[in-house]
Amino acid sequence: MATDDAPLYSVSFQWQPGEYDAEFHRLNAIIDSVAKASPDFAGVESWRSPDGARGNAVYYWRSLESLQEFAAHPAHLEAKRQYARWYNGYRVVVAEVLREYGDGRMGEWVA
């Protein structure tokens, strides 16, 4: 959860799925492991549109430095080079989370 003295950053990876192959699944597993192994990784949530035409994965980070280290990881860079093989389009939105609130009934937001 973001507070004035504890920043939180989100990276929303939005995509239109294409055809996935073994190399996609290999790199995706590595990228997921690298993200979750970072001490500043705060969580991830994802969804697909009901028709499957779009997806969105939002990763949360406690430091911009860790986010940048993740973005520079060799497996992540390799996946970026090959994205056209697997996606029919994508967009990335990087943002600083200013606040989070709700009624508390949805449980914990991020780790």
Side-chain angles (χ1 to χ4, degrees):
M1 191 173 321
T3 66
D4 290 336
D5 59 344
L8 190 67
Y9 301 91
S10 68
V11 178
S12 175
F13 176 65
Q14 304 164 13
W15 73 94
Q16 291 177 228
E19 297 294 322
Y20 303 144
D21 58 17
E23 180 67 357
F24 169 86
H25 292 293
R26 184 186 75 80
L27 286 171
N28 195 53
I30 293 169
I31 291 166
D32 191 56
S33 294
V34 167
K36 291 177 178 175
S38 171
D40 286 333
F41 175 76
V44 62
E45 52 191 2
S46 62
W47 57 263
R48 285 262 180 125
S49 62
D51 64 1
R54 291 196 178 209
N56 186 20
V58 184
Y59 289 80
Y60 298 95
W61 302 88
R62 291 187 186 92
S63 78
L64 198 51
E65 295 77 23
S66 290
L67 166 56
Q68 292 166 335
E69 287 174 13
F70 168 74
H73 188 276
H76 189 256
L77 295 175
E78 182 61 27
K80 285 175 73 172
R81 280 190 288 275
Q82 297 190 56
Y83 81 90
R85 288 174 55 182
W86 308 307
Y87 299 115
N88 293 325
Y90 80 96
R91 170 186 312 126
V92 175
V93 178
V94 179
E96 183 173 2
V97 177
L98 299 178
R99 70 185 57 83
E100 177 269 335
Y101 57 89
D103 65 7
R105 294 185 296 165
M106 291 183 65
E108 286 294 317
W109 181 49
V110 295

